[in-house]
Amino acid sequence: MMEIKYPKNENKEVKYIGKDGNPVCILTSKNNREFFILYEVLSNGILNKLGRARSPTELEEKFQIHERMKR
């Protein structure tokens, strides 16, 4: 299992796992959940920021997280 390099000063909220058992994306929050940040997990454990929003659901829909998890 790969080690993810989490961002400093952000709270880990959700880890989205693909059907192969590896993390696909992670969701973090900042400022007492004022907004959420979605990252794509690259194969080396580095995170690629996809976007941020006030609602996790908005990010899940915009970046089709559930479809990514099925791949």
Side-chain angles (χ1 to χ4, degrees):
M1 183 152 194
M2 79 177 79
E3 184 177 335
I4 298 173
K5 298 168 178 93
Y6 289 97
K8 292 182 181 180
N9 302 322
E10 292 182 23
N11 300 314
K12 301 170 210 159
E13 298 290 340
V14 178
K15 188 187 299 184
Y16 299 96
I17 305 295
K19 66 181 191 178
D20 63 356
N22 290 318
V24 175
C25 293
I26 66 162
L27 184 74
T28 65
S29 66
K30 223 171 180 183
N31 299 337
N32 294 326
R33 295 184 174 180
E34 183 177 324
F35 61 88
F36 295 87
I37 305 164
L38 183 69
Y39 295 92
E40 174 183 31
V41 179
L42 303 178
S43 60
N44 55 4
I46 294 177
L47 301 175
N48 177 37
K49 185 176 179 179
L50 296 177
R52 77 178 212 175
R54 293 198 181 270
S55 163
T57 307
E58 181 181 337
L59 291 168
E60 289 174 351
E61 291 172 358
K62 181 176 181 180
F63 294 100
Q64 301 174 343
I65 298 305
H66 298 286
E67 292 301 317
R68 290 175 185 240
M69 292 170 63
K70 293 177 184 177
R71 295 182 198 159

